[in-house]
Amino acid sequence: MLAKEVIRKKRDGGEMTRAEIDFLIRGITDGSMTEGQVAAMAMAVFFRGLSRHERVGLTLAMRDSGAVMDWPDADRPIVDKHSTGGIGDNVTLVLAPALAACGVGVPTIAGRGLGHTGGTLDKLEAIPGFDPFPAPERFRTLISKHGCAMIGQTDQIAPADRRLYAIRDITATVETLDLITASILSKKLAEGLDALVLDVKCGSGAFMQAQEDAIRLAEALVEVATGAGCPAVAHITDMNQPLASAVGNAVEIRNAIDVLRGDHADPRLLTVTRRLGGELLQMTGLAPTLAEGEAMIAESLNSGRAAESFAQVVAAQGGPADLVDRPATHLQRAEVTLPVLAETHGRIIACDVRAIGLAVIDLGGGRHVTADRIDHSVGFTGLAEIGAEIAPPTPIGVVHARNVEEAERGAAALRAAYTFGTGDPRKGALIGPRIDAESIRTESCVQ
Ligand code: URA
């Protein structure tokens, strides 16, 4: 087989066979396909698209380019959730231990921040001593002992995606549903899951800003995951404002701990956490209905079992044993904290969430290029919500910065991100459409 002939077939609108897809993915992984050929393949897919069979085949081939976990001795269902990326989205930090406390296994593989959005791996690295790269056997032990472990993506997971994504990134071929779907799912399905819930963000801070685009992505993800043998459900959730009241790394860990302990109710974060967890508990048969699944998640939070589970996971992965009891002792604090007072007063009707994400990067809490080092202490807390009436001296948030100059720059960015006015609030339903296999009438096409 010749790579250029397979590329030609796709370029001319043909459908690649599974053997041809496997051949290309092998070539991407072992380097026998040149960068030019990989770019040409990505561009051919960009213009011609993939059939459902091709999408499933590509996802499975990319998944199988590296290590794929299996859990033959597991005494509980293995599940995970994936978020397409948001701001102030610390759902994983609350949901994974809550699920573990409900009796499922959650082998979370977390990523770094992408563009303006935060990454769970960066947040976990804000915990002193936390080891996000345990050896594979240790990872297994953590799941069987604690029901949950949170690790970073390594070179062993879907290496074909790593190379393909790097080439897509420099050849204007990131924005294709076919390749996005295969990229996301190849990594998630490598976890050997019994069920997957997808949180597809929609709004000014999301990858997908229009609801119809978010629905198309959700449908593609559910269809391909299901076709690849992993039951999946997606929810479209609102990203027209940060999900939680804190955005950054250490401040989001603190926020998650406060929510787990019940010291702070972040209502939108909790609603999304309960819904995604409830779905997974229903999908695995541990809850008879979605409502009962949600109630189980709420109970694990209210009883303190989820907080206990988080504390155990953190300690087992090298973090402080008393992090949950004494977060302030361990989490890095920024040199300067400054309440941000609005220059206008009245009702907040809109929020430029992307601008808040970029402001965190500017404070030093995210990356401009992959090699950038992150300052885990910086970010925002106490962020005001759309619909809030702001009157002096109520701040719209607090900026955490390395110095006064950066704090003032962050404060100006935060002020500019909020719109005050009298019109309708610009936000969607917190939890929008639900997409499952039935709703898109898919059938299994594992090859
Ligand atoms: N996230 C991924 O992991 N891959 C993509 O292609 C886009 C977003």
Side-chain angles (χ1 to χ4, degrees):
M1 216 179 278
L2 286 176
K4 71 172 180 175
E5 292 309 317
V6 184
I7 297 166
R8 187 193 307 276
K9 182 176 183 182
K10 189 72 254 173
R11 182 200 69 186
D12 294 343
E15 184 179 43
M16 295 181 286
T17 64
R18 178 65 199 268
E20 287 168 338
I21 291 170
D22 285 349
F23 174 75
L24 292 185
I25 294 305
R26 264 199 310 278
I28 292 175
T29 312
D30 67 17
S32 57
M33 257 176 90
T34 66
E35 188 166 303
Q37 286 175 318
V38 179
M41 182 210 95
M43 195 58 88
V45 172
F46 183 93
F47 282 114
R48 291 296 188 175
L50 294 179
S51 69
R52 188 161 66 88
H53 279 280
E54 285 178 310
R55 278 184 184 172
V56 173
L58 182 66
T59 303
L60 290 171
M62 280 169 48
R63 177 197 70 180
D64 295 340
S65 68
V68 180
M69 292 170 212
D70 61 356
W71 307 92
D73 304 324
D75 57 356
R76 60 192 103 198
I78 301 293
V79 305
D80 202 4
K81 76 109 185 153
H82 175 79
S83 157
T84 56
I87 306 290
D89 176 3
N90 43 76
V91 168
T92 296
L93 300 170
V94 179
L95 178 59
L99 282 166
C102 292
V104 292
V106 196
T108 292
I109 299 181
R112 298 207 178 277
L114 205 61
H116 64 284
T117 65
T120 301
L121 177 53
D122 296 324
K123 294 170 202 174
L124 290 170
E125 285 179 339
I127 301 173
F130 189 90
D131 174 14
F133 296 106
E137 270 323 302
R138 172 93 185 117
F139 185 48
R140 278 181 178 285
T141 308
L142 290 171
I143 300 294
S144 63
K145 207 159 163 202
H146 304 291
C148 172
M150 296 184 269
I151 67 162
Q153 198 193 332
T154 64
D155 290 347
Q156 277 84 54
I157 307 287
D161 176 62
R162 193 170 281 255
R163 181 161 183 236
L164 178 55
Y165 190 88
I167 294 173
R168 286 167 59 205
D169 198 27
I170 52 168
T171 56
T173 48
V174 167
E175 302 90 345
T176 133
L177 214 58
D178 302 293
L179 297 181
I180 292 172
T181 303
S183 168
I184 290 173
L185 289 178
S186 60
K187 292 170 285 202
K188 276 291 145 182
L189 300 186
E191 293 175 18
L193 303 175
D194 296 312
L196 172 66
V197 71
L198 297 145
D199 180 4
V200 179
K201 304 284 184 198
C202 177
S204 70
F207 207 39
M208 297 297 179
Q209 307 208 346
Q211 178 153 305
E212 52 282 17
D213 293 336
I215 290 176
R216 280 176 57 233
L217 176 58
E219 286 180 346
L221 288 166
V222 169
E223 186 179 56
V224 172
T226 310
C230 176
V233 169
H235 281 279
I236 311 294
T237 67
D238 187 54
M239 191 34 69
N240 283 298
Q241 58 184 323
L243 184 59
S245 55
V247 180
N249 294 292
V251 293
E252 286 196 49
I253 295 283
R254 177 63 197 257
N255 189 77
I257 291 173
D258 289 348
V259 167
L260 282 162
R261 284 171 48 111
D263 293 343
H264 168 65
D266 226 319
R268 283 174 302 109
L269 175 71
L270 279 168
T271 302
V272 173
T273 302
R274 279 194 300 266
R275 176 57 59 90
L276 300 178
E279 278 290 358
L280 284 168
L281 294 177
Q282 189 194 13
M283 288 165 84
T284 52
L286 291 181
T289 63
L290 175 57
E292 283 166 270
E294 290 199 35
M296 284 170 70
I297 296 290
E299 199 278 326
S300 78
L301 291 164
N302 297 338
S303 64
R305 287 187 302 118
E308 209 174 296
S309 167
F310 182 78
Q312 282 172 6
V313 171
V314 167
Q317 290 193 239
D322 60 349
L323 180 73
V324 169
D325 295 326
R326 274 188 282 277
T329 316
H330 299 290
L331 295 172
Q332 215 186 326
R333 261 179 294 183
E335 285 296 314
V336 177
T337 52
L338 183 72
V340 184
L341 302 176
E343 276 159 1
T344 324
H345 298 113
R347 188 156 177 252
I348 297 175
I349 57 162
C351 176
D352 183 346
V353 195
R354 187 176 147 71
I356 295 180
L358 292 174
V360 173
I361 296 176
D362 195 46
L363 287 167
R367 296 181 188 80
H368 292 287
V369 293
T370 327
D372 281 351
R373 279 175 65 86
I374 282 187
D375 185 323
H376 290 107
S377 69
V378 301
F380 296 104
T381 54
L383 291 172
E385 289 191 21
I386 292 180
E389 294 284 347
I390 303 291
T394 314
I396 51 172
V398 175
V399 56
H400 300 242
R402 292 180 288 206
N403 54 53
V404 173
E405 193 190 320
E406 290 179 359
E408 280 168 359
R409 210 162 63 222
L414 192 65
R415 275 188 210 103
Y418 282 107
T419 305
F420 288 77
T422 51
D424 287 337
R426 272 176 254 148
K427 60 175 181 173
L430 175 57
I431 300 191
R434 173 185 186 278
I435 287 117
D436 65 14
E438 264 100 278
S439 67
I440 49 178
R441 275 182 236 100
T442 188
E443 63 205 39
S444 181
C445 54
V446 182
Q447 295 179 27

